Amino acid sequence: MATNSIKLLAPDIHRGLAELVAKRLGLKLTDCNLKRDSNGEVTFSIAESVRDQDIYIITQVGSGHVNDRVLELLIMINASKTASARRITVVIPNFPYARQDRKDKSRAPITAKLMADMLTTAGCNHVITMDLHASQIQGFFDVPVDNLYAEPSVVRYIKEHINHKDAIIISPDAGGAKRASLLSDRLNLNFALIHKERAQANEVSRMVLVGDVTDKICIIVDDMADTCGTLAKAADVLLKNHAKSVIAIVTHGILSGKAIENINNSKLDRVVCTNTVPFEQKMKLCPKLDVIDISSVLAESIRRLHNGESISYLFKNNPL
Amino acid sequence: MRKCKVFVGNSHAELGRLVCQRLGIEPAPCSLKKFANGETSVQIGVSVRDEDVYVIQSGSSSINDHIMELLILVSACRGGSAKKITAVIPQFPYSKQCKMKKHRGAITARMLANLLIMAGADHVVSMDLHASQMQGFFTKPVDNLYGGPSLAKWIREHVEDYQNSIVVSKNPGGTKRVTALADSLKINFAMIHTDRRRSKDLYSQNKDMKQLKMRKQSMLRKNRPIVRPGDEENEEENIILTNGIQTARLVNGHVIDDDEDDSYESGAMNSDQEGSISSDSHPIGGSYEAAVDSDDDETAEEQQEEKLITLVGNVNGRSAIILDDMIDRPGSFISAAEHMKKNCGAKKVYVVATHGLFTGDCLEQLEKSDAIHQVVVTNTYPIDQGRLKYSKKLVIIDVSSIFAECIRRDHYGESISVLFESLASL
């Protein structure tokens, strides 16, 4: 049992999730000042003592200005460290740069590894994240990483909001087949796969659907949706193959660029994202968006981590 | 090659010899011995001061000894003032442990990466890492070569009517690898999913639907490929339908026929009940990892229970090529091959992989299975001569030229990115 207490820190932008987590834990966010100088540099100070406390920095990285958020986070970690915090945990549900996790081309950087090194160098002792793009990213860190799953929350959402008896789980690309198959196992459903063949020179690109979706409610699952172009195209393919309706459920709804336009113009019935990425403003623009709240999972993991309890329960179950 | 020494470890002397032969040099002299108490002793028999050193060591059955040997060899070269040390590890050991399996699992591949860097390696060359993200485990550059082009070349040359064959993934996790090969060969792909929990009801549902599907499939086959021009803004995008799901039951790792399965009914019922109880106890539960990792080896215990095997895709009347990065245990390959051959009408089933580990009697079991036509691997991992002679189905593709070319280019500071595509099938 820890004898010290929890201090929750959050940057000034995207505080929504942090406030939800704080409410669930029955705590207040620690006062701190984050100022941006006119030249763009960040000044940060914590307004109360954190000496020997357990610090949790809850940060969300949305679309746009990712690098600003990252640097603010690093400065916050470092400020906490120099203020003699006992342990600094970064709660970063949507890990930035997670897609650059390997050398997919010659001479490509592995930026996810760089991010991991930067967080560790700044002084963080523990990382809590959710649905990492590749679970190997856990191995990029020299400090413990708890990779939580949105799946229990997604399963719950499907059971409560979708008539899942007639549903089929769809993976929009080959890489997500495993995710889709595990979710379909969980719900006792079939699953199918859409594969996009890369266009060769002088050849048209085409989408291949593997599996039968006739008269089914198709639930497309993925870990990340960015511009939603692929989702929209996948919906077209599915409906052409006589699907009844198409719903997309993604963990990280980054929804950048023309995403809202793409969703509004697409044949998708609904796009459901967890609130790992802030998209409140976008919900006003797009009636098709829906949200799964995962603050309970984060709050419970913080509580368990602080009290030295096992977190593995959260891998299977969704706390209320 | 001036100022260059290639050391060959004990794990795979044959591959090392072939690489040196291609480079036109002799392996650098060194004595790799073991003391009576089991400690490894390494002595380098030539000066390495200011030289470019390459150490070739693959995985093997006495894996820990050979890892230690590699680390000591690298460390000895570092101590001998080598300019640059490159560890050439065709099959990276412990690469299956590249993520946290279950809860509280160690990421051993990362630890091994750290050990290598600690010992003094400046550069690592490997082939078909289990996950390409493993490159991020190292703080030094890693070149991950591909076995795919060599395998693709073999398929083009040896699989009859390969344009009509299908590349199959034996689990959903490997689909990405499979689609890459299918794309490069410009052929279709399918996927097999083995399921531990699905209730009997769904199976009988599928059985009823099967008749319907068969009819639908035969219709599809008549006018295949169905190419429908995309009717919206993207006119260049054609959509091809590949329908068809085939389900069968697996008992003890073997496919059983629909007609002869009455004796298993009672057992099946029991397991169904157990299944429903356990799933009831976690009404909203479930996790990506909690379901036994479908990527990996099945334990004997799991093989006992009845499972459902599902083929997503169509292999009827075609050759099926099961592709994976390594062949370790035979179970999933055999059941996949049996399912495709018996229930899905596949003509021939090939099992193709980069690394042929063949743990235990894996090779013999693959050999025994009637459903498997041929087993194709590269020579990244040593295979016992005795087993080799006995085997009739095994084909080994030599990839020493890829490693030799990589070493040559690396030594002369040339780009190795060409190796990823064009040269790789030399």
Side-chain angles (χ1 to χ4, degrees):
Chain A
M1 268 300 280
T3 51
N4 53 355
S5 59
I6 298 178
K7 294 276 179 198
L8 294 174
L9 259 62
D12 57 344
I13 298 176
H14 303 323
R15 284 171 81 90
L17 182 66
E19 269 157 10
L20 283 173
V21 171
K23 207 171 134 198
R24 287 201 179 255
L25 287 169
L27 295 168
K28 278 215 167 71
L29 292 172
T30 305
D31 280 338
C32 48
N33 304 309
L34 203 156
K35 269 190 242 134
R36 287 172 192 78
D37 295 345
S38 52
N39 63 358
E41 287 180 3
V42 176
T43 330
F44 179 74
S45 64
I46 306 171
E48 55 187 273
S49 166
V50 293
R51 188 173 297 275
D52 219 17
Q53 305 293 318
D54 227 0
I55 291 196
Y56 292 85
I57 303 175
I58 304 170
T59 184
Q60 284 181 293
V61 181
S63 52
H65 303 295
V66 171
N67 297 329
D68 284 355
R69 298 292 93 71
V70 168
L71 208 67
E72 280 161 28
L73 172 64
L74 293 173
I75 291 168
M76 287 174 76
I77 295 171
N78 207 248
S80 313
K81 193 186 177 193
T82 46
S84 307
R86 183 187 289 185
R87 189 169 64 162
I88 302 159
T89 305
V90 175
V91 183
I92 184 159
N94 171 33
F95 192 75
Y97 287 104
R99 271 176 293 184
Q100 296 181 34
D101 56 359
R102 66 209 151 104
K103 261 165 74 175
D104 48 356
K105 289 187 206 88
S106 307
R107 298 173 286 278
I110 306 177
T111 318
K113 167 77 174 166
L114 178 67
M115 276 295 306
D117 286 345
M118 275 158 49
L119 286 176
T120 326
T121 310
C124 98
N125 306 112
H126 200 119
V127 178
I128 296 178
T129 180
M130 185 169 260
D131 274 4
L132 280 173
H133 188 58
S135 42
Q136 281 84 3
I137 294 176
Q138 266 183 306
F140 291 2
F141 285 88
D142 292 326
V143 295
V145 179
D146 285 314
N147 184 19
L148 301 171
Y149 300 113
E151 198 212 38
S153 312
V154 169
V155 169
R156 187 195 176 92
Y157 181 90
I158 292 175
K159 285 192 172 161
E160 286 175 1
H161 292 87
I162 298 168
N163 181 14
H164 65 277
K165 294 280 179 294
D166 301 334
I168 181 166
I169 306 289
I170 312 283
S171 168
D173 58 35
K178 190 169 171 192
R179 183 185 304 275
S181 71
L182 288 171
L183 187 64
S184 66
D185 273 6
R186 196 60 231 164
L187 290 160
N188 257 349
L189 299 173
N190 270 324
F191 81 102
L193 169 81
I194 292 175
H195 172 57
K196 190 169 194 267
E197 281 178 25
R198 268 156 235 80
Q200 312 267 348
N202 308 325
E203 240 184 75
V204 292
S205 79
R206 48 178 204 169
M207 303 271 264
V208 186
L209 172 70
V210 184
D212 186 5
V213 298
T214 312
D215 291 331
K216 290 268 171 69
I217 301 171
C218 296
I219 304 174
I220 306 176
V221 290
D222 206 350
D223 64 333
M224 207 179 274
D226 206 340
T227 56
C228 295
T230 320
L231 287 182
K233 272 184 199 145
D236 287 343
V237 174
L238 291 169
L239 288 171
K240 250 172 224 147
N241 286 303
H242 318 293
K244 206 202 275 175
S245 60
V246 184
I247 296 168
I249 301 185
V250 290
T251 309
H252 306 300
I254 297 166
L255 309 180
S256 59
K258 289 204 282 183
I260 300 302
E261 209 177 302
N262 280 337
I263 295 173
N264 280 333
N265 295 335
S266 75
K267 299 188 176 100
L268 288 159
D269 265 16
R270 221 185 302 170
V271 177
V272 187
C273 312
T274 68
N275 55 353
T276 55
V277 184
F279 60 95
E280 291 89 1
Q281 294 96 331
K282 288 170 191 155
M283 280 188 73
K284 288 177 198 136
L285 300 171
C286 180
K288 289 181 179 177
L289 281 177
D290 201 355
V291 64
I292 301 175
D293 182 19
I294 46 87
S295 64
S296 60
V297 184
L298 294 179
E300 181 64 13
S301 69
I302 290 175
R303 193 193 65 73
R304 283 172 179 261
L305 191 64
H306 179 69
N307 292 328
E309 295 169 23
S310 168
I311 286 192
S312 52
Y313 172 83
L314 295 175
F315 297 156
K316 291 195 209 83
N317 302 287
N318 185 4
L320 288 166
Chain B
M1 303 225 297
R2 287 179 61 242
K3 288 268 177 199
C4 173
K5 294 277 183 291
V6 178
F7 290 95
V8 178
N10 272 333
S11 68
H12 199 349
E14 173 67 15
L15 180 68
R17 193 183 57 76
L18 285 170
V19 170
C20 287
Q21 208 175 38
R22 293 240 173 206
L23 289 170
I25 55 174
E26 284 291 311
C30 65
S31 84
L32 306 162
K33 279 193 212 119
K34 264 185 154 186
F35 290 129
N37 63 358
E39 288 176 5
T40 304
S41 124
V42 167
Q43 272 204 315
I44 296 181
V46 66
S47 163
V48 292
R49 186 172 299 277
D50 211 21
E51 303 236 355
D52 218 359
V53 173
Y54 295 86
V55 182
I56 303 176
Q57 181 85 304
S58 192
S60 71
S61 45
S62 51
I63 190 159
N64 294 332
D65 278 342
H66 287 138
I67 289 173
M68 207 57 211
E69 192 178 280
L70 170 65
L71 293 174
I72 297 174
L73 204 49
V74 168
S75 174
C77 293
R78 172 59 68 223
S81 306
K83 192 169 76 186
K84 180 173 169 247
I85 302 165
T86 306
V88 181
I89 311 172
Q91 192 266 333
F92 197 83
Y94 285 102
S95 61
K96 276 203 169 176
Q97 295 182 42
C98 61
K99 57 181 173 179
M100 237 194 228
K101 292 269 166 65
K102 315 245 167 68
H103 320 312
R104 296 173 284 279
I107 307 176
T108 318
R110 205 264 312 253
M111 191 200 72
L112 191 58
N114 286 347
L115 287 176
L116 271 170
I117 304 302
M118 289 291 180
D122 297 302
H123 188 166
V124 176
V125 174
S126 187
M127 182 177 265
D128 277 352
L129 290 169
H130 189 56
S132 47
Q133 283 84 3
M134 281 173 59
Q135 289 177 86
F137 292 175
F138 293 85
T139 46
K140 295 278 163 71
V142 181
D143 285 314
N144 185 19
L145 302 171
Y146 298 129
S150 308
L151 299 175
K153 181 167 180 263
W154 187 91
I155 291 168
R156 266 193 219 107
E157 287 171 358
H158 293 90
V159 174
E160 213 178 302
D161 193 19
Y162 86 90
Q163 287 94 339
N164 278 320
S165 59
I166 303 275
V167 195
V168 183
S169 172
K170 72 172 175 54
N171 54 38
T175 321
K176 193 120 202 179
R177 193 175 293 120
V178 161
T179 52
L181 185 73
D183 281 359
S184 76
L185 288 170
K186 298 192 180 134
I187 56 181
N188 264 324
F189 74 98
M191 170 178 60
I192 280 181
H193 175 49
T194 316
D195 199 324
R196 288 156 183 98
R197 257 180 294 197
R198 199 156 301 182
S199 60
K200 182 88 190 328
D201 301 336
L202 207 76
Y203 169 68
S204 32
Q205 267 175 34
N206 285 344
K207 201 164 149 187
D208 297 336
M209 279 172 72
K210 206 183 276 173
Q211 305 294 325
L212 202 109
K213 269 190 201 125
M214 292 293 252
R215 240 176 291 143
K216 214 186 276 172
Q217 271 177 15
S218 61
M219 271 164 62
L220 279 172
R221 233 171 290 125
K222 268 178 218 156
N223 36 15
R224 173 176 290 277
I226 304 170
V227 183
R228 298 181 192 167
D231 50 6
E232 272 161 29
E233 72 269 60
N234 273 325
E235 270 301 319
E236 81 270 36
E237 199 159 67
N238 293 333
I239 294 156
I240 292 209
L241 247 166
T242 320
N243 251 325
I245 301 176
Q246 284 274 356
T247 309
R249 295 202 293 150
L250 270 184
V251 168
N252 295 336
H254 289 282
V255 174
I256 49 172
D257 285 343
D258 285 350
D259 313 321
E260 58 174 61
D261 57 4
D262 287 36
S263 55
Y264 293 104
E265 294 284 344
S266 56
M269 295 296 273
N270 286 340
S271 70
D272 281 347
Q273 275 163 13
E274 280 164 32
S276 61
I277 288 165
S278 65
S279 60
D280 281 344
S281 63
H282 298 292
I284 11 176
S287 81
Y288 295 128
E289 233 73 349
V292 181
D293 214 318
S294 57
D295 265 2
D296 296 303
D297 19 312
E298 59 285 351
T299 61
E301 201 183 330
E302 280 165 52
Q303 284 200 6
Q304 298 303 316
E305 60 189 53
E306 182 178 308
K307 294 185 245 174
L308 282 186
I309 186 164
T310 311
L311 174 79
V312 184
N314 188 0
V315 296
N316 204 317
R318 301 143 180 250
S319 301
I321 301 162
I322 305 178
L323 176 82
D324 210 342
D325 65 333
M326 62 174 90
I327 305 176
D328 193 353
R329 309 255 193 105
S332 48
F333 289 101
I334 291 175
S335 48
E338 279 181 6
H339 178 51
M340 286 194 286
K341 187 98 181 178
K342 278 190 192 162
N343 302 329
C344 311
K347 243 189 340 196
K348 281 176 185 168
V349 178
Y350 297 83
V351 174
V352 177
T354 309
H355 308 297
L357 272 66
F358 301 122
T359 327
D361 63 346
C362 170
L363 187 56
E364 288 70 25
Q365 283 199 38
L366 290 175
E367 197 83 17
K368 235 173 28 195
S369 170
D370 300 329
I372 295 172
H373 181 64
Q374 261 178 326
V375 180
V376 185
V377 294
T378 70
N379 61 347
T380 52
Y381 191 87
I383 298 168
D384 195 40
Q385 282 299 325
R387 288 171 97 184
L388 218 58
K389 239 178 262 166
Y390 167 79
S391 172
K392 290 186 193 68
K393 289 181 183 171
L394 185 65
V395 178
I396 295 181
I397 303 170
D398 181 23
V399 289
S400 62
S401 60
I402 301 177
F403 286 102
E405 184 63 13
C406 179
I407 290 176
R408 194 192 65 75
R409 282 175 180 265
D410 187 59
H411 178 65
Y412 288 115
E414 296 169 21
S415 165
I416 70 155
S417 49
V418 267
L419 281 177
F420 296 141
E421 268 310 318
S422 56
L423 274 173
S425 52
L426 279 181

